[in-house]
Amino acid sequence: MSYLSELRALWGSAPLVSVGVSVLIQDEQGRVLLQQRGDDGLWGVLGGGLEPGETFLEAAHRELREETGLTCPNIAPLPLEEGLVSGPEFYHRYPNGHEIYLVGLRTHGTLPAAALAGAQPDDSGETLALAWFALDDLPPLNSNINRVSMNVLRARVGLPPLPLLPVPDAPPVGNHLLALRRRVGPRPLFAPGANVLVTDEAGQLLLLRHGGAGGWTLPGGSLEPGESLAECARRELFEETGLEADHLEPLRLYAGAKYRFTYPHGDVIDNVSVLYRAHGVTGRLTLPPDEIHGAAWFAPGNLPPEADLSGPLLQAMVAQWRDGEGRSVAAPASS
C-alpha cells in the first residue's frame, strides 16, 4: 500500500497535501509523452507521489518505470522557477472523491520517439495508453496539474498558455500537519514547507531558538493545503519574527531520507523544504514567546556547532549559506 493510501485509510477523502513529482518526457520532435489515465480516461503527464525516504529524482525514475516500463537516463529537475509545484491551482478531486493539493517538482528528460514501441506499463490499471503529442495539439487533460506543466513547455516554444480549470477556495490556514498527526500517530509524515535566510547589514544570519524542535533553526515551517511554498515562507517569516520581505528568491529544494527528523517526543517527519533568501526585509524583530525562545545573528565564521542546529535539514541549509552565501542552485532536488 502506498504512503497516500495509508493516510487515506485514516483521513478519509478530505483534502491532503500530496508530495509528488511530474515527469515531462519529450522526443526529438519536441512532442511530449502523455498517459491516458485509468481513473477518468483523460490524459496527463507521467508521475506520482513520493514514498517516505525518496528524493524527487528517485521517484521520477520509479514512476516512469511503473507507468511506462521505460528508463530515461537524463531525467533532471527543472530550474526552480519552472519546476516548483504548489498553490491553490494545484487542487484535484479524483473520481472517487479524494481531494489533494499537489506540492512537488517537475522533472524533464528526453527519449527517442521509437522508444515508445518498447513501453510496458505495470498491471495496476493506472495507464490505459501512452502516446506522443505535439504541444500545439494536446488531448483532453484531466487537471490543472497537467495544464500548468504543459504551459511550462509551451512557453519555451512561444505558445500561449492553456486556460486553467476553476478551483475551490483554499481552506483557511490552520495546522494541517498537527491535525493529520492526531490521526496517524508518530509514523513518518511528509512535511512540505519552506525556510528563509534573513541577513542583516553586516551579513549576519538570523537564527531562532525553537521550542518544539529544539536547537537553532531558520524562520520557516510547514505548508497548509492550498498555500504556495512562497506564501508559506512569507507567513512563517512573519509569524516567527514579525519581519516581511519584498522578494523571496528560491535557492534550493531539499528532500530525501537524509532530511528525516525525529522530534524529542517521537514524531517523525520527512522534510520537503524550499530554502528562500529574503530581499528587502522590513519590520521589527518580534518573537512569539510560545514558539520561539530566542534569536541571534551569526557571522559565517561564528555559527553554532552543527549539533546545536535543529536536525539535518537545518544543518544542510545553514551550511549552504555558510559555504555559498545562499547563491542559487540550478538543479538541487536530488540531494
Side-chain angles (χ1 to χ4, degrees), residues 25-33 70 110-119 130-133:
I25 302 294
Q26 291 184 278
D27 68 5
E28 61 270 31
Q29 301 176 47
R31 297 180 301 176
V32 63
L33 182 59
L70 302 175
T110 56
L111 285 172
L116 189 55
L130 295 163
W132 296 106
F133 290 93

Side-chain angles (χ1 to χ4, degrees), residues 254-270:
Y254 296 80
K258 67 173 69 175
Y259 303 118
R260 176 168 287 186
F261 180 73
T262 301
Y263 284 91
H265 49 66
D267 291 350
V268 181
I269 60 171
D270 276 14

Side-chain angles (χ1 to χ4, degrees), residues 5-6 21 30 40 82 84 96 110 124 137 140 145 176 236 247 288 298 317 319 322:
S5 297
E6 291 174 359
V21 64
D40 59 14
E82 293 181 314
L84 286 179
N96 63 5
T110 56
S124 67
D137 189 21
I145 294 166
H176 178 73
E236 290 285 348
H247 172 64
F298 295 90
M317 288 179 167
R322 181 197 65 211

Side-chain angles (χ1 to χ4, degrees), residues 193-237:
N195 293 88
V196 185
L197 297 173
V198 179
T199 53
D200 64 9
E201 294 180 353
Q204 299 180 110
L205 179 67
L206 176 63
L207 294 178
L208 308 176
R209 178 72 77 175
H210 200 286
W216 291 100
T217 73
L218 293 168
S222 297
L223 176 141
E224 294 293 313
E227 191 175 43
S228 74
L229 288 159
E231 289 169 343
C232 172
R234 289 187 182 280
R235 174 179 56 78
E236 290 285 348
L237 176 63

Side-chain angles (χ1 to χ4, degrees), residues 23-290:
V23 187
L24 308 182
I25 302 294
Q26 291 184 278
D27 68 5
E28 61 270 31
Q29 301 176 47
R31 297 180 301 176
V32 63
L33 182 59
L34 297 181
Q35 167 203 57
Q36 188 180 25
R37 297 177 54 87
D39 57 1
D40 59 14
L42 300 177
W43 292 81
V45 300
L46 306 167
L50 269 67
E51 294 299 320
E54 277 189 316
T55 68
F56 284 99
L57 279 181
E58 290 167 347
H61 286 286
R62 175 181 54 77
E63 289 288 343
L64 181 63
R65 287 193 304 271
E66 292 174 358
E67 295 179 352
T68 72
L70 302 175
T71 59
C72 179
N74 67 0
I75 294 176
L78 288 177
L80 294 187
E81 292 77 9
E82 293 181 314
L84 286 179
V85 173
S86 65
E89 66 269 34
F90 295 104
Y91 167 88
H92 182 61
R93 186 178 188 273
Y94 291 93
N96 63 5
H98 292 172
E99 298 176 86
I100 65 163
Y101 285 94
L102 183 65
V103 175
L105 185 71
R106 297 184 188 92
T107 61
H108 182 271
T110 56
L111 285 172
L116 189 55
Q120 293 184 327
D122 66 18
D123 60 1
S124 67
E126 187 175 355
T127 303
L128 298 181
L130 295 163
W132 296 106
F133 290 93
L135 292 172
D136 60 356
D137 189 21
L138 294 167
L141 301 173
N142 86 324
S143 71
N144 286 337
I145 294 166
N146 299 296
R147 289 169 178 260
V148 177
S149 288
M150 292 302 95
N151 286 342
V152 169
L153 298 181
R154 285 166 66 93
R156 289 182 165 193
V157 294
L159 290 172
L162 301 172
L164 299 186
L165 302 170
V167 296
D169 293 336
V173 173
N175 195 323
H176 178 73
L177 190 62
L178 178 60
L180 189 58
R181 180 65 73 191
R182 288 170 176 161
R183 298 279 187 95
V184 305
R187 59 152 294 166
L189 288 175
F190 281 116
N195 293 88
V196 185
L197 297 173
V198 179
T199 53
D200 64 9
E201 294 180 353
Q204 299 180 110
L205 179 67
L206 176 63
L207 294 178
L208 308 176
R209 178 72 77 175
H210 200 286
W216 291 100
T217 73
L218 293 168
S222 297
L223 176 141
E224 294 293 313
E227 191 175 43
S228 74
L229 288 159
E231 289 169 343
C232 172
R234 289 187 182 280
R235 174 179 56 78
E236 290 285 348
L237 176 63
F238 182 74
E239 288 177 358
E240 294 187 343
T241 70
L243 303 175
E244 298 183 88
D246 288 340
H247 172 64
L248 290 172
E249 175 191 2
L251 301 178
R252 187 177 181 122
L253 174 60
Y254 296 80
K258 67 173 69 175
Y259 303 118
R260 176 168 287 186
F261 180 73
T262 301
Y263 284 91
H265 49 66
D267 291 350
V268 181
I269 60 171
D270 276 14
N271 283 296
V272 178
S273 186
V274 178
L275 178 63
Y276 288 91
R277 173 185 281 279
H279 297 273
V281 177
T282 56
R284 178 176 175 272
L285 184 60
T286 305
L287 307 180
D290 57 334

